[in-house]
Amino acid sequence: MFEKSLQDLVKGIRAHKRDPAAFVSTAIAECKKELKSVDPFVKAQAVRKLTYLQMLGYDVSWASFAIVETMSQPRFAHKRIGYLAACQCFCETTDVVLLTTNLLKKEFQSTSQYEVGLAVNCLANIVTRDLGRDLLQDCTLLMAHSKPYVRKKATSAMFKLFVRYPQGLRLTFDKLKARLDDAEPAVASCAVNVVCELANKNPNNYLAMAPQFFRLLTTSSNNWMLIKVVKLMGALVPREPRLARKLLEPLATIV
């Protein structure tokens, strides 16, 4: 009943800005007590405060398990607090990251597109090599989800999975390539973004896709996607000089 809210914490830190150490130590001690509560509202509030303190540079790694517990709460408002905390606080050395594998798999099956999107966003931020390997197939399936919101989230997240688990690129690239022809422009734009980032590392691997990129360049009305396609074609031209002449007309039209 008398727990301090995040707003109280912020006001307290501002009031003790000359020497906040003592106040913050007290606040952390209060958060530790709140994390032991069986009330999900109290626990979620404590996780919110710890996330803020982590942003200020304080170590809250000791609360990792409580963050996972908050992520698993059925209430979306609590779940969102937990996922934000995980994105902010978890790293490759966080032991409990592997505990999120089954939790994320379960979230991917949710009937709520927002819960699925929340889980995909979290995966992109906390993915490790093991997590990428275990959830690659699940994330690939989400690229064909019935909701465009989920498809664009999953498509964007694939780049982070490829960075952590490079072998996944060869296994799933055809599925990513198919998103370039997605009926939803936002999903196609996300696919272009991922391919553009991949091509920065090795453009030669994507020369065969030049006709597909050229079609997007001449048919899309999405300015942001056109910028990415032009950037991508610019990376390919040095490898295939004949592209330069082919690009003159569409580039003149865009300009």
Side-chain angles (χ1 to χ4, degrees):
M1 180 180 291
F2 301 106
E3 294 85 4
K4 290 188 176 72
S5 67
L6 176 60
Q7 290 79 6
D8 295 329
L9 176 64
V10 174
K11 290 177 181 178
I13 291 175
R14 289 176 178 174
H16 297 79
K17 57 185 176 182
R18 288 185 178 275
D19 185 19
F23 177 81
V24 171
S25 295
T26 302
I28 290 176
E30 291 173 353
C31 287
K32 288 181 178 180
K33 292 180 181 179
E34 292 167 8
L35 290 177
K36 296 177 182 178
S37 173
V38 295
D39 187 339
F41 287 87
V42 174
K43 184 172 290 187
Q45 181 173 256
V47 170
R48 283 183 71 198
K49 291 187 288 187
L50 290 172
T51 303
Y52 178 73
L53 290 173
Q54 195 277 338
M55 293 170 67
L56 296 180
Y58 294 94
D59 178 30
V60 298
S61 58
W62 49 268
S64 297
F65 189 76
I67 291 174
V68 175
E69 287 183 321
T70 308
M71 291 166 64
S72 65
Q73 292 296 325
R75 188 181 179 91
F76 181 76
H78 297 159
K79 195 186 298 287
R80 184 170 59 180
I81 291 171
Y83 276 107
L84 173 62
C87 293
Q88 189 69 34
C89 304
F90 287 3
C91 63
E92 287 190 57
T93 58
T94 304
D95 294 337
V96 300
V97 167
L98 288 177
L99 296 179
T100 64
T101 304
N102 290 331
L103 174 61
L104 291 172
K105 280 180 176 287
K106 180 181 176 182
E107 294 289 8
F108 290 162
Q109 302 299 321
S110 173
T111 55
S112 168
Q113 62 176 330
Y114 301 109
E115 290 185 356
V116 178
L118 196 63
V120 172
N121 180 68
C122 181
L123 173 62
N125 281 277
I126 70 171
V127 63
T128 61
R129 179 181 175 82
D130 291 338
L131 209 56
R133 182 194 63 227
D134 295 340
L135 295 176
L136 178 68
Q137 187 61 33
D138 300 84
C139 202
T140 302
L141 291 174
L142 290 178
M143 287 198 291
H145 198 276
S146 60
K147 299 291 186 181
Y149 176 81
V150 175
R151 293 203 303 274
K152 68 180 183 180
K153 289 273 190 181
T155 301
S156 297
M158 292 304 290
F159 176 70
K160 294 297 288 291
L161 267 69
F162 295 152
V163 170
R164 297 296 187 187
Y165 182 60
Q167 294 91 327
L169 177 58
R170 183 173 297 178
L171 297 172
T172 61
F173 186 71
D174 287 342
K175 300 292 185 183
L176 174 64
K177 186 178 176 181
R179 291 306 100 207
L180 292 170
D181 298 320
D182 198 283
E184 179 62 38
V187 179
S189 180
C190 289
V192 169
N193 287 343
V194 174
V195 175
C196 186
E197 293 301 320
L198 293 171
N200 285 336
K201 297 180 180 296
N202 194 345
N204 291 331
N205 290 345
Y206 305 95
L207 277 173
M209 297 176 65
Q212 199 168 5
F213 298 138
F214 184 80
R215 181 184 56 77
L216 289 172
L217 190 64
T218 56
T219 59
S220 176
S221 59
N222 184 326
N223 290 335
W224 292 109
M225 183 163 69
L226 288 175
I227 291 172
K228 286 290 186 180
V229 173
V230 169
K231 181 180 178 182
L232 181 54
M233 295 299 258
L236 299 181
V237 166
R239 274 77 180 176
E240 179 51 78
R242 290 176 295 180
L243 277 174
R245 183 176 298 178
K246 190 76 173 176
L247 291 172
L248 285 176
E249 185 176 343
L251 288 177
T253 302
I254 294 172
V255 173

